[in-house]
Amino acid sequence: MIIGVDLGGTKILTAIADSEGKILASVKIDTEARLGPEKVIANIIRSISLAAKQAKIPMSRVSRIGIGVPGPVLGQAIIVSPPNLPGWKNINIKAILHKKLNKKIFIENDANAAAYGEFRFGAGKGFRNLVYMTVSTGIGGGIIIDGKIYTGALGTAGEIGHMIIDPKGPKCGCGNHGCLEALAAGPAIARMAGTKNALDAELAARNGNIKALKSIKMAARSIGIGIANLNNILNPDIFVIGGGVSNMGDLLLSPVKVTAKECSMEASGKSLIIVPAKLKNNAGVMGAIAVCMDARHGGDE
Ligand SMILES: [Zn+2]
């Protein structure tokens, strides 16, 4: 049996699955991030035993636990300094959980885990090279090359939301100007549309509000340019778009596709496929499970 954990800034989603990745039970509890790392780690452990209990599986039958975490991961073990988890700095969560649970532990960045989930079980099933983009309050991503998560030199690869699209654009949380995230994530759409959030912008656009419609088109154009850049460089088999904002469907995705095709080079544009994510909120937890299923070695401290 395998347990997958999707550690978020507000919720911990944990699922237990059999060796084929079939989910037997899942639980969702509060992260309580403001109470600091010790409490969060205790909550992770609690969610794990709750999931096992709900599936009526004794913990002795669980061999591997995979965890998607919201921030850069060093050496598949250390969480560097996640923006959504106050007080966390260079915590070796793999070593801590291995010691407390005595299971093989696999740590992955949450967007990478979601990319892997879509690759193994979702919209990217059957492809070898995939770029996953999640558009919500931020823009994150994961890159799968030849069936493997591409992590880069330090493990920080896949930050496609911080690709600079317009150097004269609005300031981004990372300190740069005109990152894709600053131009096209939920808050950017709301800012351009003059609405409370991206959902209100969507409703206004569907009711014919020109300003809201324009804002979504501008965000879509930035996403399309980002995809064209990635397509020219990586030429993946498929782009999978997830995250809350992508629930707008074709309102967002149709103009994304037009721009991505238009801005791709002719040769790389020929293979361009852009599809919505399939696993929705389960992508991260399914990815954490898939990472455990496919790992040949490792997991021990
Ligand atoms: Zn940025």
Side-chain angles (χ1 to χ4, degrees):
M1 297 290 167
I2 296 167
I3 288 182
V5 179
D6 186 6
L7 172 61
T10 53
K11 298 276 177 196
I12 301 171
L13 178 61
T14 299
I16 183 163
D18 64 15
S19 59
E20 305 292 308
K22 188 173 166 266
I23 302 247
L24 307 171
S26 65
V27 294
K28 197 190 242 182
I29 64 170
D30 286 335
T31 308
E32 300 183 297
R34 66 189 185 284
L35 300 179
E38 251 176 74
K39 182 68 181 169
V40 173
I41 289 168
N43 283 339
I44 292 171
I45 293 169
R46 186 162 61 90
S47 77
I48 288 169
S49 47
L50 278 173
K53 207 169 169 185
Q54 205 181 93
K56 298 190 173 69
I57 305 280
M59 275 305 285
S60 58
R61 285 185 61 201
V62 175
S63 58
R64 296 175 169 206
I65 299 172
I67 304 178
V69 299
V73 176
L74 281 185
Q76 295 176 311
I78 297 167
I79 306 187
V80 185
S81 50
N84 297 328
L85 296 177
W88 289 61
K89 205 170 185 335
N90 296 329
I91 291 182
N92 191 329
I93 188 169
K94 178 174 176 168
I96 293 169
L97 290 176
H98 180 72
K99 203 171 160 195
K100 292 199 189 235
L101 296 167
N102 197 26
K103 307 284 178 196
K104 284 183 187 288
I105 307 285
F106 298 85
I107 307 294
E108 193 52 75
N109 164 268
D110 58 357
N112 285 348
Y116 202 66
E118 288 290 343
F119 159 71
R120 283 290 263 103
F121 300 113
K125 205 174 160 185
F127 295 95
R128 298 294 294 163
N129 305 292
L130 170 152
V131 174
Y132 171 78
M133 185 189 289
T134 167
V135 188
S136 55
T137 49
I139 293 184
I143 298 167
I144 309 287
I145 295 177
D146 204 17
K148 291 196 178 74
I149 298 172
Y150 178 75
T151 55
L154 294 176
T156 65
E159 290 290 350
I160 60 186
H162 298 284
M163 175 177 8
I164 296 171
I165 303 290
D166 176 10
K168 293 196 177 91
K171 194 162 185 195
C172 179
C174 74
N176 279 325
H177 283 264
C179 291
L180 181 56
E181 178 168 302
L183 291 166
I189 294 173
R191 189 190 61 234
M192 291 186 284
T195 55
K196 206 175 83 207
N197 53 43
L199 189 64
D200 285 353
E202 179 190 357
L203 290 174
R206 291 199 191 278
N207 283 322
N209 182 308
I210 302 289
K211 194 179 171 191
L213 203 59
K214 237 177 156 176
S215 310
I216 292 168
K217 281 209 168 136
M218 275 166 70
R221 180 156 175 84
S222 297
I223 294 170
I225 291 170
I227 288 179
N229 289 337
L230 291 162
N231 190 37
N232 289 339
I233 297 166
L234 297 170
N235 190 221
D237 300 312
I238 190 165
F239 286 88
V240 178
I241 317 292
V245 173
S246 75
N247 291 337
M248 284 183 194
D250 281 343
L251 185 64
L252 182 80
L253 288 187
S254 292
V256 164
K257 286 177 189 169
V258 170
T259 303
K261 180 95 180 171
E262 206 176 83
C263 297
S264 285
M265 294 181 76
E266 203 189 331
S268 53
K270 284 200 171 102
S271 64
L272 187 62
I273 303 175
I274 301 168
V275 297
K278 250 190 196 161
L279 303 177
K280 304 287 174 195
N281 296 334
N282 280 332
V285 86
M286 290 301 293
I289 287 166
V291 164
C292 290
M293 284 166 62
D294 295 347
R296 295 242 170 97
H297 308 285
D300 294 311
E301 206 270 297

Coordinates of all heavy atoms in Angstrom, one line a residue, residues 40-107:
V40 N 2.6 21.3 11.9 CA 2.2 20.9 10.5 C 2.7 19.4 10.3 O 2.0 18.6 9.8 CB 2.9 21.8 9.4 CG1 2.7 21.3 8.0 CG2 2.3 23.2 9.5
I41 N 3.9 19.1 10.8 CA 4.4 17.8 10.7 C 3.5 16.8 11.4 O 3.2 15.7 11.0 CB 5.9 17.7 11.1 CG1 6.7 18.4 10.0 CG2 6.3 16.2 11.3 CD1 8.2 18.7 10.5
A42 N 3.1 17.2 12.6 CA 2.1 16.4 13.4 C 0.8 16.1 12.6 O 0.3 15.0 12.6 CB 1.9 17.0 14.8
N43 N 0.4 17.2 12.0 CA -0.8 17.1 11.2 C -0.7 16.1 10.0 O -1.6 15.4 9.6 CB -1.3 18.4 10.7 CG -2.0 19.2 11.8 OD1 -2.5 18.6 12.8 ND2 -2.1 20.5 11.7
I44 N 0.5 16.2 9.3 CA 0.8 15.3 8.2 C 0.7 13.8 8.7 O 0.0 13.0 8.1 CB 2.2 15.5 7.6 CG1 2.3 16.9 7.0 CG2 2.6 14.4 6.6 CD1 3.7 17.3 6.6
I45 N 1.3 13.6 9.9 CA 1.3 12.2 10.4 C -0.1 11.8 10.8 O -0.6 10.7 10.5 CB 2.2 12.1 11.6 CG1 3.7 12.3 11.1 CG2 2.1 10.8 12.4 CD1 4.7 12.5 12.2
R46 N -0.9 12.7 11.3 CA -2.3 12.5 11.7 C -3.1 12.1 10.5 O -3.9 11.2 10.4 CB -2.9 13.7 12.4 CG -4.3 13.5 13.0 CD -4.6 14.5 14.1 NE -4.6 15.9 13.5 CZ -5.7 16.5 13.0 NH1 -6.8 15.9 13.0 NH2 -5.6 17.7 12.6
S47 N -2.9 12.9 9.4 CA -3.7 12.7 8.1 C -3.3 11.3 7.5 O -4.2 10.6 7.0 CB -3.4 13.8 7.1 OG -2.1 13.6 6.5
I48 N -2.1 10.9 7.7 CA -1.6 9.6 7.2 C -2.4 8.5 7.9 O -2.9 7.5 7.3 CB -0.1 9.4 7.3 CG1 0.6 10.3 6.2 CG2 0.3 8.0 7.2 CD1 2.1 10.5 6.4
S49 N -2.4 8.6 9.3 CA -3.1 7.5 10.0 C -4.6 7.5 9.8 O -5.2 6.5 9.8 CB -2.6 7.4 11.5 OG -2.7 8.7 12.0
L50 N -5.1 8.7 9.7 CA -6.6 8.8 9.4 C -7.0 8.2 8.1 O -8.0 7.4 8.0 CB -7.0 10.3 9.3 CG -7.2 11.0 10.6 CD1 -7.5 12.5 10.4 CD2 -8.4 10.4 11.4
A51 N -6.1 8.4 7.0 CA -6.4 7.8 5.7 C -6.3 6.3 5.8 O -7.2 5.5 5.3 CB -5.4 8.3 4.7
A52 N -5.3 5.7 6.5 CA -5.2 4.3 6.6 C -6.3 3.7 7.4 O -6.9 2.7 7.0 CB -3.8 4.0 7.3
K53 N -6.7 4.4 8.5 CA -7.8 4.0 9.3 C -9.1 3.9 8.5 O -9.9 3.0 8.6 CB -8.0 5.0 10.5 CG -8.6 4.4 11.7 CD -8.4 5.3 12.9 CE -9.2 4.9 14.1 NZ -9.1 5.9 15.1
Q54 N -9.3 5.0 7.7 CA -10.6 5.0 7.0 C -10.7 3.9 5.9 O -11.8 3.4 5.7 CB -10.7 6.4 6.2 CG -12.1 6.8 5.9 CD -12.1 8.1 5.2 OE1 -12.2 8.1 4.0 NE2 -12.2 9.2 5.9
A55 N -9.5 3.5 5.4 CA -9.5 2.4 4.4 C -9.4 1.0 5.2 O -9.4 0.0 4.5 CB -8.3 2.5 3.5
K56 N -9.3 1.1 6.5 CA -9.2 -0.1 7.3 C -7.9 -0.9 7.0 O -7.9 -2.2 6.9 CB -10.4 -1.0 7.2 CG -11.7 -0.3 7.7 CD -12.9 -1.3 7.8 CE -14.1 -0.7 8.5 NZ -14.8 0.3 7.7
I57 N -6.9 -0.2 6.7 CA -5.6 -0.8 6.4 C -4.6 -0.5 7.5 O -4.4 0.6 7.9 CB -5.0 -0.2 5.1 CG1 -6.0 -0.2 3.9 CG2 -3.6 -0.8 4.8 CD1 -6.0 -1.5 3.2
P58 N -4.0 -1.6 8.1 CA -3.1 -1.3 9.2 C -1.8 -0.6 8.6 O -1.4 -0.9 7.5 CB -2.7 -2.7 9.7 CG -3.1 -3.6 8.7 CD -4.2 -3.0 7.9
M59 N -1.2 0.3 9.4 CA 0.0 1.0 8.9 C 1.1 0.0 8.5 O 2.0 0.4 7.7 CB 0.5 2.0 10.0 CG -0.3 3.4 9.9 SD -0.2 4.2 8.3 CE 1.5 4.8 8.2
S60 N 1.1 -1.2 9.1 CA 2.2 -2.1 8.8 C 2.1 -2.5 7.3 O 3.1 -3.0 6.8 CB 2.0 -3.4 9.7 OG 0.8 -3.9 9.5
R61 N 1.0 -2.4 6.7 CA 0.9 -2.7 5.3 C 1.3 -1.6 4.3 O 1.3 -1.8 3.1 CB -0.5 -3.2 4.9 CG -0.8 -4.6 5.5 CD -2.1 -5.2 5.0 NE -2.2 -5.2 3.6 CZ -3.4 -5.3 2.9 NH1 -4.5 -5.2 3.6 NH2 -3.5 -5.4 1.6
V62 N 1.6 -0.4 4.9 CA 2.0 0.7 4.1 C 3.5 0.7 3.9 O 4.2 0.7 4.9 CB 1.5 2.1 4.7 CG1 2.1 3.2 3.9 CG2 0.0 2.1 4.8
S63 N 4.0 0.7 2.7 CA 5.4 0.6 2.5 C 6.1 1.9 2.1 O 7.2 2.2 2.5 CB 5.8 -0.5 1.4 OG 5.1 -0.1 0.2
R64 N 5.3 2.7 1.4 CA 5.9 4.0 0.9 C 4.9 5.1 1.1 O 3.7 5.0 0.9 CB 6.2 3.8 -0.6 CG 7.2 2.8 -0.9 CD 7.4 2.6 -2.4 NE 8.6 1.8 -2.7 CZ 9.3 1.8 -3.8 NH1 8.9 2.6 -4.8 NH2 10.4 1.1 -3.9
I65 N 5.5 6.3 1.4 CA 4.7 7.5 1.5 C 5.4 8.6 0.6 O 6.6 8.9 0.7 CB 4.7 8.0 3.0 CG1 4.0 6.9 3.8 CG2 3.9 9.3 3.1 CD1 4.0 7.1 5.3
G66 N 4.5 9.2 -0.2 CA 5.0 10.3 -1.1 C 4.4 11.6 -0.7 O 3.2 11.6 -0.3
I67 N 5.1 12.7 -0.7 CA 4.6 14.0 -0.2 C 4.9 15.1 -1.2 O 6.1 15.3 -1.5 CB 5.1 14.3 1.2 CG1 4.8 13.2 2.2 CG2 4.5 15.6 1.7 CD1 5.3 13.4 3.5
G68 N 3.9 15.8 -1.7 CA 4.1 16.9 -2.5 C 4.1 18.2 -1.6 O 3.2 18.3 -0.8
V69 N 5.1 19.0 -1.7 CA 5.3 20.1 -0.7 C 5.3 21.4 -1.5 O 5.8 21.5 -2.6 CB 6.5 20.0 0.1 CG1 6.4 18.7 1.0 CG2 7.8 20.0 -0.7
P70 N 4.7 22.5 -0.9 CA 4.6 23.8 -1.6 C 5.8 24.6 -1.6 O 5.9 25.7 -1.0 CB 3.4 24.5 -0.9 CG 3.6 24.0 0.5 CD 4.1 22.6 0.4
G71 N 6.9 24.2 -2.3 CA 8.1 25.0 -2.4 C 9.2 24.2 -2.9 O 9.1 23.0 -3.2
P72 N 10.3 24.9 -3.2 CA 11.5 24.2 -3.8 C 12.0 23.1 -2.8 O 12.0 23.3 -1.6 CB 12.6 25.3 -3.9 CG 11.9 26.6 -3.7 CD 10.6 26.3 -2.9
V73 N 12.4 22.0 -3.4 CA 12.9 20.8 -2.6 C 14.4 20.6 -3.0 O 14.7 20.4 -4.2 CB 12.1 19.6 -2.9 CG1 12.7 18.4 -2.2 CG2 10.6 19.8 -2.5
L74 N 15.3 20.6 -2.0 CA 16.7 20.3 -2.3 C 16.9 18.8 -2.0 O 16.5 18.3 -1.0 CB 17.6 21.1 -1.4 CG 17.8 22.5 -1.8 CD1 18.9 23.2 -0.9 CD2 18.3 22.7 -3.2
G75 N 17.6 18.2 -3.0 CA 18.1 16.8 -2.7 C 16.9 15.8 -2.4 O 17.1 14.9 -1.7
Q76 N 15.8 16.1 -2.9 CA 14.6 15.2 -2.7 C 14.3 15.0 -1.2 O 13.8 14.0 -0.8 CB 14.7 13.9 -3.4 CG 14.7 14.1 -4.9 CD 15.0 12.8 -5.7 OE1 15.9 12.1 -5.4 NE2 14.1 12.6 -6.7
A77 N 14.7 16.0 -0.4 CA 14.5 15.8 1.1 C 14.2 17.1 1.8 O 13.4 17.1 2.7 CB 15.8 15.2 1.6
I78 N 14.9 18.2 1.4 CA 14.8 19.4 2.2 C 13.9 20.4 1.6 O 14.1 20.8 0.5 CB 16.3 20.0 2.4 CG1 17.1 19.0 3.2 CG2 16.2 21.3 3.1 CD1 18.6 19.3 3.1
I79 N 13.0 20.9 2.4 CA 12.1 22.0 2.0 C 12.8 23.3 2.3 O 13.2 23.6 3.5 CB 10.8 22.0 2.8 CG1 10.1 20.6 2.6 CG2 9.8 23.0 2.2 CD1 8.7 20.5 3.2
V80 N 13.0 24.1 1.3 CA 13.9 25.3 1.5 C 13.2 26.4 2.3 O 13.5 26.6 3.4 CB 14.4 25.8 0.1 CG1 15.4 26.9 0.3 CG2 15.1 24.7 -0.7
S81 N 12.3 27.1 1.6 CA 11.6 28.2 2.4 C 10.3 28.4 1.7 O 10.2 29.4 0.9 CB 12.4 29.4 2.5 OG 12.9 29.8 1.3
P82 N 9.3 27.6 1.9 CA 8.0 27.7 1.1 C 7.3 29.0 1.6 O 7.1 29.2 2.7 CB 7.2 26.5 1.6 CG 7.9 26.0 2.8 CD 9.2 26.5 2.9
P83 N 6.8 29.8 0.6 CA 6.1 31.0 0.9 C 4.8 30.8 1.7 O 4.5 31.7 2.5 CB 5.8 31.6 -0.5 CG 6.1 30.6 -1.5 CD 7.0 29.6 -0.9
N84 N 4.2 29.7 1.5 CA 2.9 29.4 2.2 C 3.0 28.7 3.6 O 2.1 28.4 4.2 CB 2.0 28.6 1.3 CG 1.6 29.4 0.1 OD1 1.5 30.6 0.1 ND2 1.4 28.7 -1.0
L85 N 4.3 28.4 4.0 CA 4.5 27.7 5.3 C 5.4 28.6 6.1 O 6.6 28.4 6.1 CB 5.0 26.3 5.1 CG 4.2 25.3 4.3 CD1 4.9 24.0 4.1 CD2 2.9 25.0 5.0
P86 N 4.8 29.5 6.9 CA 5.7 30.3 7.8 C 6.5 29.6 8.8 O 6.1 28.6 9.4 CB 4.7 31.3 8.5 CG 3.3 30.7 8.3 CD 3.4 29.8 7.1
G87 N 7.8 30.0 8.9 CA 8.7 29.3 9.9 C 9.5 28.2 9.4 O 10.3 27.6 10.1
W88 N 9.2 27.8 8.1 CA 9.9 26.6 7.6 C 11.2 27.2 6.9 O 11.1 28.0 6.0 CB 9.1 25.9 6.5 CG 8.0 25.1 7.1 CD1 6.9 25.6 7.9 CD2 7.8 23.7 7.0 NE1 6.1 24.5 8.2 CE2 6.6 23.3 7.7 CE3 8.5 22.6 6.4 CZ2 6.1 22.0 7.8 CZ3 8.0 21.3 6.5 CH2 6.8 21.0 7.2
K89 N 12.3 26.6 7.2 CA 13.5 27.0 6.5 C 14.5 25.8 6.6 O 14.9 25.4 7.6 CB 14.2 28.3 7.2 CG 15.0 29.0 6.2 CD 15.5 30.4 6.7 CE 16.2 31.2 5.8 NZ 16.9 30.6 4.7
N90 N 14.8 25.3 5.4 CA 15.7 24.2 5.3 C 15.4 23.0 6.2 O 16.2 22.6 7.0 CB 17.2 24.6 5.5 CG 17.6 25.6 4.4 OD1 17.1 25.5 3.3 ND2 18.4 26.6 4.8
I91 N 14.1 22.6 6.2 CA 13.7 21.5 7.1 C 13.8 20.2 6.3 O 13.2 20.1 5.2 CB 12.3 21.7 7.6 CG1 12.4 22.9 8.6 CG2 11.7 20.4 8.3 CD1 11.0 23.2 9.3
N92 N 14.6 19.2 6.8 CA 14.7 17.9 6.1 C 13.5 17.1 6.5 O 13.5 16.2 7.4 CB 16.0 17.2 6.5 CG 16.3 16.0 5.7 OD1 15.3 15.3 5.2 ND2 17.5 15.7 5.4
I93 N 12.4 17.3 5.8 CA 11.1 16.6 6.1 C 11.2 15.1 5.9 O 10.6 14.3 6.5 CB 10.0 17.3 5.4 CG1 8.6 16.7 5.9 CG2 10.1 17.1 3.9 CD1 7.4 17.4 5.4
K94 N 12.0 14.7 4.9 CA 12.2 13.3 4.6 C 12.8 12.6 5.8 O 12.3 11.5 6.2 CB 13.1 13.1 3.4 CG 13.4 11.7 3.0 CD 14.1 11.6 1.7 CE 14.5 10.2 1.4 NZ 14.9 10.1 0.0
A95 N 13.9 13.1 6.4 CA 14.5 12.5 7.5 C 13.6 12.4 8.7 O 13.5 11.4 9.4 CB 15.8 13.3 7.8
I96 N 12.9 13.5 8.9 CA 12.0 13.6 10.1 C 10.9 12.6 10.0 O 10.6 11.8 10.9 CB 11.4 15.0 10.2 CG1 12.5 16.1 10.6 CG2 10.3 15.0 11.3 CD1 12.0 17.5 10.5
L97 N 10.3 12.5 8.8 CA 9.1 11.5 8.7 C 9.6 10.1 8.6 O 8.9 9.2 9.1 CB 8.3 11.9 7.4 CG 7.5 13.2 7.5 CD1 6.8 13.5 6.2 CD2 6.5 13.1 8.6
H98 N 10.8 9.9 8.1 CA 11.4 8.5 8.0 C 11.6 8.0 9.5 O 11.3 6.9 9.8 CB 12.7 8.5 7.2 CG 13.3 7.2 7.2 ND1 12.8 6.2 6.4 CD2 14.4 6.6 7.8 CE1 13.5 5.1 6.6 NE2 14.5 5.3 7.4
K99 N 12.1 8.9 10.3 CA 12.4 8.6 11.7 C 11.1 8.3 12.4 O 11.0 7.3 13.2 CB 13.2 9.7 12.3 CG 14.0 9.3 13.5 CD 14.9 10.4 14.0 CE 15.3 10.2 15.5 NZ 15.8 11.4 16.1
K100 N 10.1 9.1 12.2 CA 8.9 9.0 13.0 C 8.0 7.8 12.5 O 7.2 7.2 13.3 CB 8.0 10.3 12.9 CG 8.7 11.4 13.7 CD 7.7 12.5 14.0 CE 8.5 13.7 14.6 NZ 8.1 14.2 15.8
L101 N 8.0 7.5 11.2 CA 7.1 6.5 10.6 C 7.8 5.2 10.2 O 7.1 4.2 10.0 CB 6.4 7.2 9.4 CG 5.5 8.4 9.7 CD1 5.1 9.1 8.4 CD2 4.2 7.9 10.5
N102 N 9.1 5.3 10.0 CA 9.9 4.1 9.6 C 9.3 3.5 8.3 O 9.1 2.3 8.1 CB 9.9 3.1 10.7 CG 11.0 2.0 10.4 OD1 12.0 2.4 9.7 ND2 10.8 0.8 10.9
K103 N 9.0 4.4 7.3 CA 8.6 4.0 6.0 C 9.5 4.7 4.9 O 10.2 5.6 5.3 CB 7.2 4.5 5.7 CG 6.1 4.1 6.7 CD 5.7 2.7 6.6 CE 4.7 2.3 7.7 NZ 4.6 0.9 7.9
K104 N 9.5 4.2 3.7 CA 10.2 4.9 2.7 C 9.5 6.2 2.3 O 8.3 6.1 2.1 CB 10.3 4.0 1.4 CG 11.4 2.9 1.5 CD 11.4 2.1 0.3 CE 12.3 0.9 0.4 NZ 13.8 1.2 0.5
I105 N 10.2 7.3 2.4 CA 9.6 8.6 2.2 C 10.1 9.2 0.9 O 11.3 9.3 0.7 CB 9.9 9.5 3.4 CG1 9.5 8.9 4.7 CG2 9.2 10.9 3.2 CD1 8.0 8.8 5.0
F106 N 9.2 9.7 0.1 CA 9.6 10.4 -1.2 C 9.0 11.8 -1.2 O 7.8 12.0 -1.0 CB 9.0 9.7 -2.4 CG 9.6 8.3 -2.5 CD1 9.0 7.2 -1.8 CD2 10.7 8.0 -3.2 CE1 9.5 5.9 -1.8 CE2 11.3 6.7 -3.3 CZ 10.7 5.7 -2.6
I107 N 9.9 12.8 -1.3 CA 9.4 14.2 -1.3 C 9.6 14.8 -2.7 O 10.6 14.6 -3.4 CB 10.3 15.0 -0.3 CG1 10.4 14.4 1.1 CG2 9.9 16.5 -0.2 CD1 9.1 14.4 1.8

